[in-house]
Amino acid sequence: CFCSKKNKHTPGYEEPTVLAAETPFTVSEVEALYELFKKLSNSIISDGLIHKEEFQLALFRNRNRRNLFADRIFDLFDIKRNGVIDFGEFVRSLSVFHPNAPIEDKIKFAFRLYDLRQTGFIEREELKEMVLALLHESELVLSEDVVEMIVDKTWKDADTKGDGKIDLEEWRDLVSKSPSLLKNMTLPYLKDITLSFPSFVLRSEVEDTEI
Amino acid sequence: KFFNAFEFISSMSSGFDLSNLFENK
């Protein structure tokens, strides 16, 4: 058989040159991400696709730990909406978190993250639900009155049109006033993943300069 | 100082911290 292991890739594999051309990543960085992807996607089910349990295991070292925000991020990474994350989805989604990714992409991703019910708006009930979820996660105890006060104050700052929902334009305005809202949308690790993770054995098949 | 609820969420939720994808390897 002439088949080589070298050509066996995970389902949804895309050429690093293609992904590098579409994202801020270099070809070498995409290849490094592929090494990470293979580890994540084979940690529980060896099918080369990241299942939600594998995502949770990677984030929390616990496959059964549910978390509202991890669920939302998984769902946004799962672009094809088929319950798993393939390599192309992994790279394209992570690219939004690259320090060199356009700020507008980060703004839109964060907006979609908070738009829990995917209505195209962030609603007050969604904001309160997220605050309560965070309190539950952190085991912080705040009275109902304090939660209402926090949500109210944030809502007054954000819902500048006063129509009871936050649209993308209002979200953009809020973020411009408080840039730290996007702090988690940038992962410094991604700036040069090949140096940050020297354990990855890299043997680039294509020089970055070739693309 | 009052903190924004979104800031509260983004800075405190472990589910929103993707650096763990790399650190836990």
Side-chain angles (χ1 to χ4, degrees):
Chain A
C1 176
F2 191 68
C3 293
S4 156
K5 270 191 173 176
K6 182 180 149 187
N7 292 324
K8 277 193 174 178
H9 291 299
T10 58
Y13 176 81
E14 292 181 51
E15 285 299 325
T17 49
V18 172
L19 292 168
E22 289 182 22
T23 65
F25 294 119
T26 64
V27 173
S28 297
E29 287 166 349
V30 173
E31 289 175 340
L33 283 174
Y34 188 54
E35 298 303 313
L36 172 64
F37 178 82
K38 282 192 288 187
K39 287 184 182 179
L40 297 177
S41 63
N42 293 303
S43 62
I44 297 175
I45 303 166
S46 298
D47 62 356
L49 297 163
I50 299 178
H51 295 251
K52 188 168 278 187
E53 278 192 331
E54 291 172 321
F55 195 68
Q56 289 164 184
L57 181 63
L59 283 182
F60 309 123
R61 298 185 184 186
N62 179 341
R63 62 195 282 182
N64 296 317
R65 182 170 163 192
R66 298 300 302 271
N67 179 285
L68 176 68
F69 305 100
D71 276 358
R72 284 297 297 143
I73 288 180
F74 182 90
D75 290 344
L76 292 179
F77 273 45
D78 176 16
I79 297 165
K80 299 188 189 87
R81 309 289 297 143
N82 61 350
V84 289
I85 301 169
D86 66 30
F87 181 55
E89 291 171 328
F90 184 68
V91 174
R92 287 190 178 88
S93 299
L94 266 185
S95 74
V96 177
F97 292 79
H98 193 286
N100 296 344
I103 188 77
E104 182 64 16
D105 291 354
K106 296 176 187 289
I107 290 171
K108 285 178 177 167
F109 191 99
F111 181 80
R112 292 173 62 213
L113 180 75
Y114 295 133
D115 176 13
L116 295 182
R117 286 180 261 287
Q118 300 156 65
T119 56
F121 302 97
I122 302 171
E123 293 162 17
R124 193 185 182 287
E125 272 311 298
E126 290 173 323
L127 179 58
K128 186 173 177 184
E129 185 179 335
M130 291 185 280
V131 170
L132 292 175
L134 178 68
L135 291 176
H136 181 72
E137 175 190 341
S138 62
E139 296 180 348
L140 271 172
V141 179
L142 293 180
S143 70
E144 174 70 19
D145 286 351
V146 171
V147 171
E148 280 293 328
M149 193 179 72
I150 291 169
V151 172
D152 266 346
K153 176 70 170 70
T154 302
W155 202 256
K156 280 176 189 158
D157 288 345
D159 181 21
T160 52
K161 295 175 186 169
D163 59 0
K165 53 195 181 186
I166 300 170
D167 62 22
L168 181 59
E169 189 184 358
E170 289 169 319
W171 174 248
R172 200 179 281 119
D173 290 344
L174 185 68
V175 166
S176 70
K177 285 185 280 183
S178 306
S180 61
L181 291 180
L182 292 183
K183 197 175 69 178
N184 277 8
M185 289 304 306
T186 294
L187 287 168
Y189 292 99
L190 295 175
K191 184 77 175 176
D192 197 339
I193 192 172
T194 58
L195 292 181
S196 298
F197 299 93
S199 62
F200 292 137
V201 179
L202 297 176
R203 186 185 47 76
S204 180
E205 293 171 13
V206 182
E207 292 296 325
D208 288 336
T209 51
E210 287 179 27
I211 61 167
Chain B
K1 178 182 176 295
F2 168 80
F3 53 88
N4 184 291
F6 289 110
E7 197 159 347
F8 186 40
I9 293 163
S10 65
S11 63
M12 288 191 65
S13 177
S14 57
F16 201 176
D17 185 6
L18 292 186
S19 59
N20 286 337
L21 286 180
F22 307 92
E23 287 173 352
N24 288 347
K25 290 301 97 211

